[in-house]
Amino acid sequence: MSELDQSYRYCLRVARTRAKNFYYSFLLLSAQQRKAMCAIYAFMRYCDDLSDEPGANREAIDRWRAEMEEALEGRFSRHPVWPAFHHTVRRFGIPHRYFREMIDGVASDLDPRRFETFDQLYRYCYQVASVVGLTTIHIFGFDTRSALPLAEKCGVAFQLTNILRDIREDAEHGRIYLPAEDLDRFGVTEADLRSGNRSEAFLRLMSFESKRARAYYDESRPLLDLIHQRSRPSLAALISIYSRLLERIEGSNYDVFKRRVRLTTLEKSWIVVRALVS
């Protein structure tokens, strides 16, 4: 087996075991697209782990950044992701700046996070999620640049959903992603988030943030018509999984402190089947 085949096989294993939501949508793609998605996911999963794992530090992220720059030029360290990553980036013409922006976003998570304004939060969402959307639509295929800002908004919608789902876990790690201007507006404190205080003020705040996320889903919906037809079921499934997750958060009356809101494997499988036949 060639080095490239071994690399793609490694990326597939990572995607199967770690991509709780993304992997289901990969199943609706062609074999080459699916391999490419797994390669990009494996790279981004490792990036994210560098800021979340115990002992995370800037030195490790800087080392990963340097290895990435080498890999983009076709020179690989011993990490198994690089041959598949390099092959995918070249094959689909993915701009290198997206990967640099994501590492910048991940590196910022090493420090306790606070955002004063939504504009600051939006920039963070762009770095860690919109760049994922901008990368993957190159694999989906698109013919007009008007797809790019829609992919950006779709990524923001996904990340806002993640933030609402993970409020308790993030607060425990010193990360408060909801903007201070919103907390002040609704009378919610950081201590409320850390202690799991589901007050009326918290519920109003969550309703506001949920509607904001929903607006980004709505704004990005035309993206489905702008990517290549063969790829549309995959993107439709991915959007459905994340928007259903937001619905589940809303349906629980924002009870995000007791347990992590999630979809079952059966629910995600049904979404994939429906996307395939619609």
Side-chain angles (χ1 to χ4, degrees):
M1 184 182 297
S2 70
E3 180 186 45
L4 180 60
D5 288 337
Q6 290 177 351
S7 180
Y8 271 119
R9 179 170 290 189
Y10 163 80
C11 295
L12 175 61
R13 287 199 304 271
V14 172
R16 279 177 173 168
T17 57
R18 302 289 303 279
K20 297 296 190 295
N21 293 318
F22 282 95
Y23 187 70
Y24 288 86
S25 68
F26 297 172
L27 300 175
L28 299 175
L29 295 169
S30 69
Q32 184 55 54
Q33 286 176 307
R34 188 160 58 249
K35 287 169 60 178
M37 286 292 196
C38 290
I40 295 301
Y41 176 83
F43 164 77
M44 293 182 171
R45 178 73 268 165
Y46 193 84
C47 284
D48 199 46
D49 287 347
L50 284 174
S51 68
D52 284 338
E53 295 298 315
N57 60 76
R58 198 166 302 277
E59 180 181 353
I61 291 180
D62 289 343
R63 184 165 55 248
W64 183 249
R65 188 196 302 270
E67 289 185 20
M68 180 197 72
E69 294 293 348
E70 290 289 305
L72 289 170
E73 298 300 324
R75 298 184 294 271
F76 312 136
S77 72
R78 297 178 63 181
H79 196 286
V81 75
W82 294 128
F85 172 78
H86 170 76
H87 185 260
T88 291
V89 172
R90 285 182 58 111
R91 183 183 185 106
F92 291 95
I94 303 171
H96 296 180
R97 70 178 182 275
Y98 296 148
F99 306 111
R100 295 171 183 135
E101 288 173 323
M102 180 174 192
I103 291 181
D104 287 342
V106 167
S108 70
D109 268 336
L110 289 176
D111 303 315
R113 294 315 313 252
R114 299 291 187 278
F115 298 104
E116 293 299 319
T117 67
F118 178 69
D119 286 345
Q120 292 174 351
L121 175 59
Y122 186 98
R123 175 60 184 167
Y124 171 77
C125 291
Y126 171 84
Q127 289 178 311
V128 300
S130 291
V131 293
V132 180
L134 291 164
T135 297
T136 56
I137 66 168
H138 284 77
I139 298 172
F140 288 145
F142 64 98
D143 297 316
T144 172
R145 291 187 62 82
S146 59
L148 296 174
L150 296 177
E152 178 180 322
K153 291 178 180 179
C154 190
V156 171
F158 288 179
Q159 188 62 24
L160 291 177
T161 301
N162 286 339
I163 287 170
L164 296 182
R165 178 195 61 192
D166 298 337
I167 283 178
R168 177 182 58 82
E169 298 166 47
D170 289 333
E172 289 174 353
H173 289 88
R175 299 170 181 169
I176 305 294
Y177 290 104
L178 297 182
E181 64 182 8
D182 294 348
L183 298 181
D184 292 343
R185 174 181 175 182
F186 290 95
V188 177
T189 67
E190 292 185 7
D192 290 330
L193 300 183
R194 287 191 292 268
S195 66
N197 181 14
R198 289 180 68 247
S199 63
E200 287 299 319
F202 173 79
L203 297 181
R204 290 194 297 271
L205 168 67
M206 290 291 284
S207 176
F208 172 79
E209 302 294 355
S210 178
K211 289 174 183 175
R212 172 180 272 163
R214 183 68 60 196
Y216 280 103
Y217 281 108
D218 293 342
E219 289 180 45
S220 64
R221 201 161 298 279
L223 178 62
L224 279 169
D225 295 326
L226 297 182
I227 64 170
H228 290 174
Q229 188 168 1
R230 172 67 179 81
S231 304
R232 290 174 189 170
S234 179
L235 179 58
L238 189 56
I239 292 173
S240 293
I241 287 171
Y242 269 88
S243 60
R244 182 73 61 83
L245 182 59
L246 182 60
E247 290 174 7
R248 183 64 52 81
I249 293 169
E250 294 166 339
S252 72
N253 197 25
Y254 309 108
D255 190 4
V256 294
F257 292 121
K258 290 181 181 178
R259 60 186 179 277
R260 200 172 203 239
V261 177
R262 65 181 76 232
L263 302 184
T264 66
T265 298
L266 181 61
E267 288 174 308
K268 287 183 279 193
S269 299
W270 175 242
I271 288 171
V272 168
V273 170
R274 194 169 61 183
L276 184 62
V277 301
S278 62

